[in-house]
Amino acid sequence: MAKQKVAEQFVDILVKAGVRRLYGVVGDSLNPVVDAVRRTSGIDWVQVRHEEVAAFAAGAEAQITGTLAACAGSCGPGNLHLINGLYDAHRSMAPVLALASQIPAGEIGLGYFQETHPDQLFRECSHYSELISSPKQMPRVLQTAIQNAVGRGGVSVVSLPGDVASEQVPERAGDHALVTTRPAVRPGEAELEKFARMVDEAKRVTLFCGSGTAGAHAQVMQFAERVKAPVGHALRGKQWIQYDNPYDVGMSGLLGYGAAYEATHECDLLILLGTDFPYNDFLPHDDDVKIVQVDVRPERLGRRSKLDLAIWGDVRETLTCLTPRVKAKSDRKFLDRMLKKHADALEGVVKAYTRKVDKRVPIHPEYVASVLDELADDDAVFTVDTGMNNVWAARYITPNGRRGIIGSFTHGSMANAMPQAIGAQFTDRGRQVIAMSGDGGFSMLMGDFLTLVQYDLPVKVVVFNNSSLGMVELEMLVDGLPSFGTANKNPDFAAVARACGAYGVRVEKPKHLAGALKDAFKHKGPALVDVVTDPNALSIPPKIRAGMVSGFALSASKIVLDGGVGRMLQMARSNLRNVPRP
């Protein structure tokens, strides 16, 4: 039997680890691996136009499937383009294996053409980053990289010189056991007992949930009912916790709404469930509020706020163990007061949305998001660009337990929506995938719209085209600065889509919006809807400092500051039916 080459061995291990696609751009140092993919069943090469897109797509695929995904870049500039998407995947805990091919092994350290040191460059955005300099290191280095990515949740990078990839392995590789799933993590008995005592002693408990509540919706609801706790969430927790939630008090943070801020500050015990919420200013700093944090990543415990108890464990496993240990509470006063505050807060901002918004020209972006939410499939995946689109998605896309929402919610990169839609759509061509793109984000990586066309991926790109970098403009206004450098001179994006061979339509009037979206959704291939939206439609956080107000007073006397909240008001009103009336 002919011996394997290192590249063939590399690809075989990826297939055994469950990798079904390798996203990237071909190049000389990468050619041996790409050719091995061509000759191997069970794995496909996905040719993108920019390696950053490859990393974003792999990260999205990993988030959708929960399994390992992979991307690749050729030596030097090729693999350096991966770095932004890998940062996003790593901070999103998406298991991704990145192949950074390298210059010939004998030339490393000698200033060779395109020389970089990817094993060093990628260390900050990975759990593991190593160079394979000899065939003898295969398959152990790759196996270790895979187990780091899957077991720890994040990125691993393997640097492989092209000449080493073309060498034969010393002997035929045998089967190697690989870690492909993560275990459940249960807290210790002592921590659970202390946790239960703190809950029993507290009179007002609030839960604040992040992405770590994925798969734990039932456990969170059972616990909230037992202790009569309002439940708020961060943006990454929205899709996992907001639906079918009679204890919902909204979202906190810069994009927040409702009574989540009040609920986290007026309780005497705040429980942070699976959230690495980065905005310290929105968390309580009063010693009267005790804080418990539950997280599967121990290094995240206590890095945002001072904790009274740190719990290392999965949210689902922790609550399964904790709920039977705590005494059921009967006093609903705090919960009902927060539910009423939440409904009142939503009532207060809904006016800006309802006032003739379906006739306003330019089209109000909130109206676009609302119509999009109503027309999208019940199991649609939304990928959301960073910026104002995060606001519209947070306030208008209604989770139901089946929909998916992916964005660069922790890394905060521009241009993520369409690349992530590529990865999401490859996992299931029959599932509706909608990219909510800003004009700035879309135009930044617009070249990879051609990837949708090349693979006939039925992604629907909805461009919120306000010809500006809206969130950056808002940041300037908050600081009392005039907007500068934020205006975009855009083409007709629908015409660009048609020139690429896709379906494209431009919408300038609200009355044409629903029909345009329906037609795009019916189209079997890729489609783009270019919606011209109001550049003056901005949003502000639920809690505003005095300095922020003065900044707006100086710069934004005619800006629309308040926004609607879509179907969340209906949910809040529904939850209020359970509140006893005096």
Side-chain angles (χ1 to χ4, degrees):
M1 183 179 292
K3 286 187 176 182
Q4 275 188 315
K5 291 184 178 180
V6 171
E8 295 168 334
Q9 186 185 41
F10 189 99
V11 173
D12 280 352
I13 293 172
L14 289 186
V15 173
K16 289 172 184 174
V19 174
R20 295 295 171 257
R21 278 161 290 275
L22 189 58
Y23 300 89
V25 178
V26 297
D28 52 2
S29 59
L30 193 57
N31 288 345
V33 173
V34 175
D35 188 63
V37 170
R38 178 183 64 83
R39 293 181 284 106
T40 303
S41 61
I43 187 170
D44 295 318
W45 175 258
V46 177
Q47 176 187 348
V48 297
R49 303 305 174 100
H50 194 295
E51 290 90 350
E52 182 178 351
V53 172
F56 271 125
E61 178 179 324
Q63 291 179 69
I64 290 288
T65 65
T67 59
L68 186 69
C71 58
S74 59
C75 63
N79 62 59
L80 285 180
H81 285 160
L82 295 169
I83 196 162
N84 191 50
L86 292 183
Y87 261 98
D88 182 78
H90 192 57
R91 299 187 73 181
S92 300
M93 293 183 65
V96 171
L97 188 284
L99 168 59
S101 73
Q102 178 59 299
I103 63 173
E107 300 293 341
I108 296 174
L110 300 174
Y112 192 73
F113 176 65
Q114 293 188 325
E115 181 176 1
T116 59
H117 296 86
D119 53 313
Q120 300 176 36
L121 288 166
F122 290 100
R123 282 180 183 166
E124 190 175 61
C125 63
S126 67
H127 291 303
Y128 182 85
S129 182
E130 289 295 341
L131 169 70
I132 294 176
S133 55
S134 164
K136 294 180 180 179
Q137 292 175 268
M138 280 287 288
R140 289 179 296 159
V141 167
L142 181 55
Q143 179 180 353
T144 302
I146 289 170
Q147 293 176 174
N148 268 274
V150 174
R152 301 174 71 183
V155 171
S156 285
V157 181
V158 173
S159 303
L160 178 63
D163 58 335
V164 174
S166 296
E167 294 184 33
Q168 292 184 336
V169 299
E171 58 186 26
R172 188 72 177 179
D175 289 336
H176 291 263
L178 290 169
V179 170
T180 56
T181 58
R182 299 180 66 187
V185 179
R186 180 188 184 279
E189 285 294 320
E191 286 76 17
L192 286 169
E193 288 300 324
K194 185 175 181 181
F195 196 175
R197 285 198 303 272
M198 292 179 68
V199 174
D200 288 343
E201 292 169 1
K203 294 182 179 179
R204 302 178 306 279
V205 180
T206 292
L207 310 182
F208 187 69
C209 304
S211 61
T213 57
H217 183 275
Q219 288 74 19
V220 174
M221 295 302 108
Q222 290 166 6
F223 185 73
E225 166 58 28
R226 193 167 182 85
V227 301
K228 305 300 183 287
V231 179
H233 60 269
L235 179 55
R236 291 191 67 201
K238 174 184 172 72
Q239 68 171 308
W240 308 115
I241 215 67
Q242 189 189 34
Y243 70 95
D244 295 340
N245 182 357
Y247 318 101
D248 178 46
V249 291
M251 190 171 83
S252 192
L254 293 173
L255 311 184
Y257 54 82
Y261 182 92
E262 288 81 357
T264 56
H265 284 73
E266 296 181 25
C267 62
D268 53 21
L269 177 63
L270 173 61
I271 301 176
L272 306 174
L273 295 174
T275 179
D276 192 35
F277 187 67
Y279 303 110
N280 298 3
D281 289 344
F282 290 88
L283 293 173
H285 300 285
D286 191 333
D287 291 338
D288 292 338
V289 180
K290 293 183 178 180
I291 302 178
V292 178
Q293 184 179 358
V294 180
D295 206 294
V296 73
R297 296 277 286 268
E299 71 273 16
R300 293 181 172 180
L301 294 169
R303 72 179 184 180
R304 306 300 183 198
S305 59
K306 182 180 178 181
L307 300 182
D308 295 277
L309 180 62
I311 298 291
W312 181 11
D314 296 329
V315 172
R316 180 173 179 170
E317 193 73 16
T318 299
L319 293 183
T320 298
C321 297
L322 177 68
T323 301
R325 299 174 187 237
V326 302
K327 298 174 184 176
K329 299 183 186 294
S330 58
D331 187 349
R332 287 182 54 105
K333 290 180 182 177
F334 176 63
L335 170 60
D336 292 341
R337 182 161 60 87
M338 290 300 111
L339 290 175
K340 188 174 186 308
K341 276 194 173 186
H342 179 58
D344 289 346
L346 300 191
E347 292 275 9
V349 300
V350 77
K351 295 176 184 177
Y353 169 70
T354 57
R355 192 183 304 119
K356 298 181 180 179
V357 72
D358 58 340
K359 295 182 174 63
R360 185 180 300 169
V361 177
I363 303 171
H364 203 288
E366 293 180 313
Y367 179 66
V368 181
S370 177
V371 174
L372 190 59
D373 179 57
E374 297 208 4
L375 295 180
D377 290 349
D378 286 342
D379 66 344
V381 176
F382 296 86
T383 60
V384 184
D385 260 345
T386 297
M388 295 309 298
N389 275 16
N390 272 195
V391 180
W392 315 139
R395 294 185 174 184
Y396 289 94
I397 301 306
T398 307
N400 57 12
R402 299 174 61 201
R403 284 179 168 180
I405 304 176
I406 297 176
S408 186
F409 298 138
T410 303
H411 185 49
S413 173
M414 282 182 65
N416 60 286
M418 186 183 66
Q420 289 177 329
I422 291 171
Q425 191 72 82
F426 264 115
T427 67
D428 185 350
R429 284 179 172 269
R431 188 177 185 183
Q432 187 180 66
V433 176
I434 301 169
M436 295 176 61
S437 298
D439 58 288
F442 178 74
S443 59
M444 182 177 282
L445 289 173
M446 187 167 59
D448 263 278
F449 188 80
L450 293 168
T451 300
L452 300 180
V453 176
Q454 181 162 333
Y455 290 95
D456 197 28
L457 290 173
V459 170
K460 313 308 176 190
V461 180
V462 181
V463 180
F464 288 65
N465 183 1
N466 64 358
S467 297
S468 73
L469 302 177
M471 185 62 79
V472 179
E473 187 168 305
L474 177 62
E475 293 164 354
M476 291 178 173
L477 295 173
V478 167
D479 288 335
L481 302 173
S483 60
F484 180 77
T486 58
N488 293 329
K489 185 175 181 180
N490 292 325
D492 181 335
F493 290 119
V496 173
R498 293 192 295 271
C500 293
Y503 179 91
V505 61
R506 184 175 173 92
V507 182
E508 298 180 352
K509 295 182 179 180
K511 64 181 180 180
H512 298 147
L513 177 63
L517 289 173
K518 289 177 182 178
D519 289 344
F521 291 168
K522 289 178 184 176
H523 184 71
K524 293 184 186 269
L528 183 145
V529 182
D530 181 9
V531 187
V532 180
T533 60
D534 186 354
N536 290 326
L538 301 175
S539 182
I540 54 175
K543 287 294 175 181
I544 311 164
R545 300 187 306 273
M548 295 169 68
V549 174
S550 63
F552 277 110
L554 288 171
S555 307
S557 60
K558 294 184 179 179
I559 300 294
V560 178
L561 297 180
D562 290 322
V565 287
R567 285 187 261 180
M568 287 182 288
L569 178 58
Q570 299 173 21
M571 290 189 290
R573 287 170 174 166
S574 177
N575 290 342
L576 275 180
R577 293 171 190 164
N578 298 320
V579 178
R581 299 299 180 185

